[in-house]
Amino acid sequence: MSKVAVFRKEHFNAAHRLYNKSWDDQQNDAVFGKCNNPNYHGHNYDLIVKVVGEPDPATGYVIDLKILSDLIQQHVLAKFDHKNLNLDTKEFAQLNPTAENIVIVIYNILRELINPKFELQIRLYETPRNFVEYPV
Ligand code: NI
């Protein structure tokens, strides 16, 4: 068992607004502050996809990073890059687009596409200093 972790880093820009529609404006402002701006605001998200497995004896690869990159491009970035997450995506039409919820959504998308023999973990940077990881 010689497991290796391989990583692919991608990037996307998206706008969002954090709020709970069952709360009034005052409570939303108290909890979410500037992130509750009604006209939205944007982030430059860095996305790091980690895949863990044993190198294939024939190729020496755990997973072909070009294939992984294409999967992320087609199934994640195409959905979210340059989008308003609240308004333009079905994933966040009812789900608050916090970094926490975004990372879970991205994990669930990719988990269905990547062979179950691989462990998968997603890290999402909302800013250079604020980032989340799933699963833990
Ligand atoms: Ni924000």
Side-chain angles (χ1 to χ4, degrees), residues 9 13 22 29 39 53 56 71 73 91 109-110 113 119 133 135:
K9 185 175 181 181
N13 308 95
S22 64
D29 280 340
N39 290 330
D56 182 280
L71 279 180
Q73 181 64 47
E91 287 80 1
I109 291 170
L110 292 176
L113 301 168
E119 296 165 36
E133 206 167 54

Side-chain angles (χ1 to χ4, degrees), residues 45-111:
Y45 290 97
D46 275 325
L47 172 67
I48 297 176
V49 176
K50 175 185 180 182
V51 176
V52 178
E54 292 186 51
D56 182 280
T59 63
Y61 290 156
V62 173
I63 187 171
D64 185 327
L65 284 174
K66 176 70 168 78
I67 293 171
L68 181 62
S69 173
D70 288 347
L71 279 180
I72 301 166
Q73 181 64 47
Q74 289 167 19
H75 298 277
V76 177
L77 303 189
K79 275 179 191 283
F80 301 140
D81 187 33
H82 285 73
K83 297 293 173 61
N84 180 311
L85 297 176
N86 304 78
L87 299 181
D88 299 333
T89 75
K90 68 175 179 0
E91 287 80 1
F92 299 104
Q94 304 297 329
L95 181 66
N96 208 17
T98 59
E100 290 88 333
N101 283 332
I102 297 169
V103 79
I104 293 170
V105 164
I106 291 173
Y107 172 85
N108 288 336
I109 291 170
L110 292 176
R111 184 66 280 184

